[in-house]
Amino acid sequence: MKISLITVTYNSDKTLADTIESVLNQTYTDIEYIIVDGNSTDKTVDLIKVYEPLFHGRMKWVSEKDKGLYDAMNKGIKLASGDVVGIINSDDFYHRSNVIEHVAKVMQDNNVDVVFGDVRFVNPDDLNRTKRYYSSGKFVVNKFRFGFMPAHPTFFTYKSYFEKFGYYKLDYKIAADFELLVRFLYTYRLCFKYIPLDIMKMRLGGVSTASLKSNLIMNREIIRACKENNIWTCMPIVMLKYFVKVFELFNTKEDE
């Protein structure tokens, strides 16, 4: 089973090396690595060229203007030749060398269409310090109405499902990942399996947590995504998730 990992970049030269090396260090060998760069103006492309030979033909990359994050993700998925695809952001990294091995083992079950796991949010200045632990372990599809979803960076599924059910919608600014998970897991009822493992570390920050304004946009898009997929919800219901998120700050779990 070939697994295609996709990284979207734009001026990511400060963090991209950690991401690339975490892919190179995986014990699972049938990996294709795809980088979709948005025409960076820093040294991102130079960095990609340095690492490209180390993949021995297993890397593809492009650098060109795009229509944003989700457009770049779609490009990467369409470039993929693997059976299974997953996204690893340019400021995230696998802190375990056997993560993709775990994913491949679970995906080989014919009854599993999707796998996901947990994420550690870490201090950008101290990558060994966990600030928040996000577990996907208690996820059920009925939680979509509250704005909850599995950790998208740990989401793996077959490329054929994107071809069959559609890609990330470009008219969403922040929550296209939420909408896609709703569509795949709720509307089309793909069978999912949770891996009880912190699959990656993510540096704190990002578009969806950048400001009150972006959180408002995100919550409106969550409501829209639910409506488009025939799930009833409203803003007061979606806002309840913040009471739960507070407890994640106290669930940091020590690194193993």
Side-chain angles (χ1 to χ4, degrees):
M1 176 183 289
K2 181 190 285 189
I3 297 181
S4 296
L5 301 176
I6 298 160
T7 297
V8 172
T9 63
Y10 181 70
N11 290 346
S12 306
D13 64 358
K14 298 295 189 296
T15 58
L16 182 59
D18 288 343
T19 307
I20 295 175
E21 289 181 12
S22 77
V23 174
L24 275 171
N25 290 335
Q26 291 301 302
T27 55
Y28 191 77
T29 57
D30 201 358
I31 292 175
E32 173 186 59
Y33 189 42
I34 299 170
I35 299 180
V36 182
D37 180 67
N39 210 12
S40 290
T41 57
D42 64 358
K43 296 181 180 180
T44 294
V45 172
D46 293 333
L47 191 64
I48 294 170
K49 290 178 179 178
V50 167
Y51 279 100
E52 183 177 14
L54 302 181
F55 282 89
H56 303 290
R58 295 184 295 121
M59 176 192 273
K60 298 177 183 177
W61 66 275
V62 295
S63 183
E64 60 189 19
K65 288 186 177 181
D66 54 49
K67 298 176 183 177
L69 174 66
Y70 297 117
D71 180 42
M73 285 182 180
N74 288 343
K75 283 184 183 181
I77 295 166
K78 291 173 183 178
L79 284 171
S81 63
D83 306 289
V84 171
V85 296
I87 306 290
I88 175 168
N89 297 320
S90 62
D91 53 357
D92 306 338
F93 58 96
Y94 301 124
H95 58 292
R96 302 174 186 273
S97 61
N98 60 352
V99 164
I100 304 304
E101 192 174 332
H102 278 286
V103 170
K105 183 177 181 180
V106 176
M107 291 298 293
Q108 285 168 358
D109 184 337
N110 291 331
N111 295 318
V112 175
D113 303 310
V114 170
V115 301
F116 49 75
D118 300 344
V119 165
R120 288 183 183 274
F121 290 88
V122 296
N123 187 330
D125 299 319
D126 182 359
L127 300 179
N128 293 316
R129 185 180 178 188
T130 300
K131 300 290 288 183
R132 176 183 163 209
Y133 190 95
Y134 187 100
S135 176
S136 303
K138 295 182 180 179
F139 173 78
V140 293
V141 293
N142 289 337
K143 287 190 174 183
F144 279 131
R145 75 175 64 252
F146 297 97
F148 290 109
M149 66 177 183
H152 177 256
T154 71
F155 170 75
F156 292 82
T157 192
Y158 287 95
K159 177 181 176 178
S160 60
Y161 289 135
F162 290 95
E163 297 168 340
K164 186 175 182 180
F165 302 133
Y167 295 81
Y168 294 97
K169 292 185 176 181
L170 302 188
D171 56 346
Y172 279 74
K173 294 182 179 180
I174 297 177
D177 49 355
F178 180 88
E179 191 283 328
L180 185 132
L181 288 175
V182 173
R183 191 171 2 121
F184 279 27
L185 302 183
Y186 181 85
T187 301
Y188 292 108
R189 300 290 175 174
L190 296 185
C191 182
F192 58 84
K193 179 77 172 179
Y194 165 67
I195 300 176
L197 185 72
D198 46 319
I199 286 179
M200 67 170 54
K201 288 185 177 182
M202 300 179 64
R203 290 171 174 84
L204 278 172
V207 174
S208 62
T209 58
S211 66
L212 289 173
K213 181 180 179 181
S214 62
N215 271 275
L216 179 60
I217 293 171
M218 179 181 65
N219 289 329
R220 286 174 174 170
E221 290 187 344
I222 285 172
I223 294 168
R224 174 189 162 193
C226 287
K227 183 178 180 180
E228 290 178 352
N229 289 278
N230 299 312
I231 299 174
W232 184 87
T233 192
C234 61
M235 187 63 77
I237 289 177
V238 170
M239 294 299 289
L240 289 173
K241 71 177 182 290
Y242 290 106
F243 291 100
V244 177
K245 286 181 178 290
V246 169
F247 292 99
E248 293 175 6
L249 299 174
F250 300 98
N251 181 21
T252 55
K253 289 190 179 184
E254 294 297 325
D255 282 336
E256 296 178 4

